[in-house]
Amino acid sequence: MSDRKNIIVGNWKMNLTPAEATAFAEELKSKLGSLPDNTEAGVCPTLLALTPVIEALKDTPVKVGAQAGYPEPTGAFTGQVSMEMIAGAGADYCLIGHSEQRQYFGETDASVNARTKAALKAGLTPIVCIGELLEERESGVMEEVLKRQIKEGLGGVEISSAGDLIVAYEPVWAIGTGKTATPDMAQEAHAFCRKILCEVFGELANGITIQYGGSAKPENAGELMAQEDINGLLVGGASLKVDSFLAIVKA
Ligand code: PGA
């Protein structure tokens, strides 16, 4: 479907202090020029840098997101930041279900589901991450894993347009390893994810942007994005330098 938006988002993870993140945003603003047609770009800094980065990018089309958010709007949840607070700070997106959250911080398909509903309620665009481990791919259960992550993570989630939600397919073995899925492998997984998304959201799913993530960089962005069902990239390491991030956005 040609009207799917191409969405490139940088996930800075636990990198860049508030001062570094703000300097990045200012440099990005000065070098940005115009975005290619039908393209959206965004960055997800540490929460501590959310406000200064939003401020620095406010006159640009670049969107800003958080890397995690708690599903309850307020309350006795020491250490947590709610989706309402993130939206109130002026952010656009929230990453949900990233494999590092699943691996280190107990994220489950059920918590993905609660966070996604809360993000939508708060007016954020959730970027819901799914993806298989290497042993799951090698033992032939990749489709089963992706299907479970989509059905349990997104079941009962209500969207009114395809643009309300972004899905990121990130094979865990490709994240931060320099091993990118080949464009064919990624396309095959994306087409499968879209089929399952159609079972959850019906026709609307044809318009949902499915990003690829896992060692995306300027050298492979073009061939990945040339695939029919790859309509964006979630970029970790290669998003930490303005020139490399911009090269991916313009690829
Ligand atoms: P990477 O990370 O680009 O460094 O592999 C991607 C991600 O974790 O979103």
Side-chain angles (χ1 to χ4, degrees):
M1 213 170 141
S2 55
D3 58 351
R4 272 179 219 144
K5 220 190 259 174
N6 297 317
I7 306 178
I8 314 293
V9 174
N11 169 15
W12 294 350
K13 310 192 179 187
M14 201 173 71
N15 295 292
L16 305 183
T17 63
E20 289 165 344
T22 308
F24 182 112
E26 277 158 6
E27 186 185 341
L28 180 62
K29 181 176 176 178
S30 73
K31 293 182 172 171
L32 185 65
S34 58
L35 291 176
D37 280 353
N38 198 34
T39 298
E40 182 174 306
V43 291
C44 298
T46 160
L47 277 176
L48 284 176
L50 201 57
T51 301
V53 168
I54 288 169
E55 184 62 22
L57 292 172
K58 73 169 186 284
D59 300 322
T60 77
V62 180
K63 301 198 171 192
V64 182
Q67 297 172 17
Y70 197 69
E72 294 298 330
T74 56
F77 301 101
T78 300
Q80 299 299 309
V81 173
S82 70
M83 299 293 181
E84 314 277 322
M85 292 169 173
I86 293 163
D92 303 288
Y93 316 122
C94 187
L95 300 183
I96 295 172
H98 190 279
S99 69
E100 288 148 19
Q101 287 283 334
R102 294 180 193 258
Q103 187 181 353
Y104 304 126
F105 306 112
E107 183 87 293
T108 61
D109 295 324
S111 62
V112 166
N113 193 280
R115 288 186 215 271
T116 303
K117 288 174 178 162
L120 286 165
K121 189 161 175 233
L124 295 168
T125 304
I127 302 179
V128 177
C129 307
I130 56 175
E132 81 287 358
L133 303 169
L134 184 59
E135 51 276 27
E136 292 168 337
R137 177 173 275 266
E138 287 178 341
S139 63
V141 296
M142 174 185 92
E143 292 194 344
E144 212 173 286
V145 169
L146 295 176
K147 183 170 176 176
R148 189 205 71 225
Q149 290 176 338
I150 294 172
K151 293 241 163 162
E152 293 182 13
L154 296 175
V157 166
E158 284 176 28
I159 55 173
S160 50
S161 78
D164 289 352
L165 174 73
I166 300 170
V167 173
Y169 167 67
E170 302 201 295
V172 179
W173 47 271
I175 295 178
T177 57
K179 278 188 222 153
T180 322
T182 64
D184 285 348
M185 278 160 84
Q187 165 57 28
E188 200 186 321
H190 279 234
F192 177 77
C193 291
R194 190 172 306 284
K195 187 177 116 196
I196 306 301
L197 284 167
C198 283
E199 293 175 16
V200 177
F201 296 110
E203 272 295 292
L204 268 186
N206 286 316
I208 292 178
T209 291
I210 308 179
Q211 299 176 315
Y212 167 82
S215 300
K217 48 185 182 264
E219 296 75 26
N220 59 27
E223 54 178 17
L224 286 163
M225 292 287 294
Q227 302 297 314
E228 162 77 13
D229 287 290
I230 304 181
N231 314 104
L233 299 169
L234 185 57
V235 188
S239 74
L240 291 170
K241 292 272 185 308
V242 173
D243 292 337
S244 137
F245 180 62
L246 268 180
I248 295 173
V249 170
K250 308 227 167 178

